[in-house]
């Protein structure tokens, strides 16, 4: 029996569509120069302990006070990302001809210890680029220029219990609010960013610039901004609290790399919050200088950093909010030993709160110091075993930890020491 004419027509149409799809796929494959799937799976047994102490003692006003000793909160966990951050990513480039190329990079964090986080987002990096002799224009979510010095010049790459205190303090909001130091949401990465990278043929000089859009609504006239009272009508503007500039980031980094020497200077400003009717804008400004030098038998690292939380006023009040400065430094080294690597670093930070004296007695600045030691044993180019130990000493109210639980902090107990270790394995692919 011959098939019905309509069936023969449907089969011809199906064959034509399949052929077109095949040709389209082949064309796409030819145009795409390369696509790479990459990732890291890092797991460790990690221990954290945060110890608070009673720093009070008997005084003439309280002659019978009995010191209550110390309190420790500890935790042991199977963790991830203690040597390298666990991740899964896709990247690719396309040769456009004439010296131009297009590229993309999508990178997702993964929590391999519990499997709860996978390809739900690409929050580590999600960018598309156009590259050529002029350099690279990159759009999307990416690392900020000011973060690079905190990780490149840290032997521990700002990861695990050994991560430097500059990074730890920048990620910690002393007021307990959202974001890092000063409410900065753009310490590590910035979303909605436009980046430019210098070309690599500048005799060792390199650099980048980034501007991240805040993507907030703007109101014209400004008196229409919610939820304040419109001075012209006396009525409350409808809508939720509106920020017009919070989230914006602008920064850059310039460096020089020649043989064993690498040095870079970075500066950035992040808008942490603003209030139109109060006439205030809160900024977190970062400047840091880092360098490394590889002698072969040892590679030395160093960094100086200053992060300032400031409030700008349209009209300065009689008692303005005092600025807070976070100052820090880092010195470190890596020593190759056969198939392994010894890592060591000491970092220190202090908070200049510009606090007013209490009863004419100066208020001491909070400060902390951290010592980190580690050994990495490379089983291959992609697989390594590692062991890291670290200890932080806090003073004058500083409360930085190596990770894990927070301190018990009351009117009696003050944060004192935080210690921990990572014992793990890292596999890259």
């Amino acid at each position: 029996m011959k098939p019905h004419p309509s069936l023969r027509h449907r089969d011809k149409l199906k064959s034509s569509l399949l052929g077109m799809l095949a040709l389209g796929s082949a064309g796409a494959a030819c145009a795409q120069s390369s696509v790479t799937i990459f990732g890291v799976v890092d797991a460790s047994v990690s221990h954290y302990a945060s110890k608070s102490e009673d720093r009070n003692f008997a005084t003439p006003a309280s002659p019978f006070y009995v010191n209550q000793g110390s309190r420790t909160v500890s935790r042991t966990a199977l963790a991830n990302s203690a040597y390298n951050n666990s991740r899964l990513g896709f990247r690719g480039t396309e040769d456009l001809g004439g010296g131009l190329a297009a590229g993309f990079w999508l990178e997702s964090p993964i929590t391999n210890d519990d499997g709860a986080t996978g390809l739900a987002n690409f929050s580590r990096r999600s960018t598309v680029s156009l590259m050529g002799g002029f350099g690279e224009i990159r759009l999307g979510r990416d690392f900020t220029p000011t973060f690079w010095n905190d990780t490149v010049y840290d032997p521990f790459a700002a990861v695990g219990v050994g991560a430097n205190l500059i990074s730890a303090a920048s990620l910690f909001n002393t007021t307990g609010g959202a974001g890092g130091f000063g409410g900065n949401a753009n310490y590590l990465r910035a979303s909605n960013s436009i980046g430019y990278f210098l070309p690599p043929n500048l005799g060792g000089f390199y650099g980048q610039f980034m501007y991240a859009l805040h993507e907030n609504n703007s109101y014209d006239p400004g008196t229409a901004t919610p939820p304040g009272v419109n001075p012209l009508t006396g009525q409350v503007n409808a809508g939720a609290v509106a920020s017009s500039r919070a989230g914006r980031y602008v920064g850059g980094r310039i460096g020089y790399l020649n043989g064993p020497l690498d040095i870079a200077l970075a500066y950035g400003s992040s808008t942490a919050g603003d209030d139109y009717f109060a006439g205030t804008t809160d900024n977190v400004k970062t400047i840091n200088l880092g360098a490394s030098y590889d002698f072969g038998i040892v590679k030395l690292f160093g960094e100086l950093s200053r992060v300032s939380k400031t409030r700008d006023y349209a009209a300065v009040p009689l008692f303005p909010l005092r600025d807070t400065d976070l100052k820090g430094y880092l010195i470190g080294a890596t020593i190759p030993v056969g198939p392994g690597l010894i890592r060591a670093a000491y970092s220190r930070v202090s908070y200049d709160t510009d606090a007013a004296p209490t009863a004419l007695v100066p208020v001491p600045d909070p400060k902390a110091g951290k010592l980190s030691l580690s050994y990495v044993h490379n089983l291959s180019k992609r697989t390594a075993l590692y062991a890291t130990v670290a200890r932080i000493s806090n003073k004058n109210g500083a409360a930085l930890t190596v990770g894990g639980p927070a301190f018990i902090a009351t009117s009696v107990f003050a944060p004192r020491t935080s210690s921990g270790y990572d014992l793990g394995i890292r596999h890259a692919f």
Side-chain angles (χ1 to χ4, degrees):
M1 179 182 298
K2 294 183 179 181
H4 192 276
S6 62
L7 294 178
R8 290 199 301 269
H9 176 73
R10 184 187 66 184
D11 291 340
K12 288 181 180 179
L13 181 60
K14 182 177 180 180
S15 299
S16 299
L17 289 173
L18 289 174
M20 292 171 64
L21 287 173
L23 287 172
S25 299
C30 291
Q32 184 69 57
S33 299
S34 66
V35 175
T36 301
I37 300 176
F38 65 95
V40 171
V41 180
D42 184 314
S44 66
V45 175
S46 298
H47 180 78
Y48 320 95
S50 300
K51 181 180 179 180
S52 302
E53 293 182 353
D54 182 356
R55 309 296 291 175
N56 301 302
F57 49 89
T59 64
S62 303
F64 302 107
Y65 184 84
V66 178
N67 187 280
Q68 299 183 44
S70 62
R71 299 290 187 272
T72 301
V73 185
S74 63
R75 181 194 306 165
T76 302
L78 181 65
N80 68 79
S81 306
Y83 176 44
N84 292 151
N85 286 307
S86 293
R87 72 198 77 166
L88 180 61
F90 310 87
R91 61 176 181 258
T93 59
E94 179 187 10
D95 186 355
L96 301 175
L100 288 178
F104 75 92
W105 190 303
L106 301 173
E107 188 173 321
S108 174
I110 59 175
T111 55
N112 46 278
D113 52 328
D114 59 12
T117 304
L119 288 174
N121 62 70
F122 293 106
S123 59
R124 283 187 55 83
R125 178 175 167 182
S126 54
T127 61
V128 62
S129 302
L130 182 65
M131 298 159 280
F134 57 85
E136 177 185 355
I137 298 174
R138 185 182 297 178
L139 309 178
R141 178 173 172 81
D142 200 3
F143 288 107
T144 61
T146 41
F147 171 69
W148 278 116
N149 284 354
D150 288 351
T151 183
V152 171
Y153 303 114
D154 178 5
F156 294 84
V159 175
V161 298
N164 69 83
L165 277 185
I166 297 171
S167 180
S170 295
L171 287 167
F172 179 66
N173 191 338
T174 55
T175 63
F181 174 78
N184 183 14
N186 296 322
Y187 167 63
L188 284 171
R189 302 174 179 87
S191 298
N192 316 308
S193 72
I194 302 169
Y196 170 71
F197 293 77
L198 293 174
N201 57 349
L202 299 178
F205 288 97
Y206 61 88
Q208 69 175 115
F209 172 81
M210 173 185 280
Y211 180 83
L213 285 75
H214 51 67
E215 295 194 345
N216 295 319
N217 294 332
S218 296
Y219 295 84
D220 186 15
T223 52
T225 305
V229 177
N230 190 317
L232 300 178
T233 65
Q235 297 179 347
V236 177
N237 297 323
V241 176
S243 295
S244 59
R245 293 181 298 276
R248 183 183 63 180
Y249 174 91
V250 57
R253 181 172 182 254
I254 188 75
Y256 179 73
L257 174 62
N258 186 6
L261 174 66
D262 184 13
I263 184 170
L265 174 70
Y267 175 81
S269 178
S270 178
T271 304
D274 66 299
D275 187 322
Y276 173 83
F277 289 96
T280 61
T281 302
D282 295 335
N283 295 299
V284 177
K285 301 175 182 178
T286 303
I287 184 169
N288 52 42
L289 173 67
S292 65
Y293 195 94
D294 193 346
F295 291 92
I297 59 173
V298 60
K299 184 175 183 179
L300 301 180
F301 301 82
E303 184 191 2
L304 295 172
S305 175
R306 178 171 182 158
V307 186
S308 301
K309 174 191 174 184
T310 64
R311 171 166 289 181
D312 296 331
Y313 295 89
V316 180
L318 184 61
F319 299 103
L321 181 70
R322 296 174 182 268
D323 295 344
T324 301
D325 291 337
L326 173 64
K327 304 174 184 177
Y329 69 84
L330 157 73
I331 54 174
T334 57
I335 305 172
V337 182
L341 185 70
I342 296 173
R343 304 184 296 168
Y346 178 79
S347 54
R348 189 170 184 84
V349 296
S350 63
Y351 297 86
D352 183 359
T353 59
D354 197 21
T358 301
L360 301 181
V361 177
V363 178
D365 292 331
K367 60 185 64 177
K370 181 176 186 178
L371 179 64
S372 305
L373 297 171
S374 175
Y375 174 70
V376 180
H377 188 79
N378 295 300
L379 300 176
S380 69
K381 291 183 178 180
R382 298 187 298 161
T383 303
L385 302 176
Y386 60 88
T388 303
V389 295
R391 178 184 174 87
I392 298 174
S393 295
N394 290 285
K395 294 181 64 177
N396 305 331
L400 298 173
T401 72
V402 299
F407 290 97
I408 294 176
T410 65
S411 59
V412 174
F413 295 100
R416 185 59 176 168
T417 62
S418 174
S419 58
Y421 64 77
D422 296 320
L423 302 173
I425 180 172
R426 186 270 348 249
H427 178 73
F429 60 91

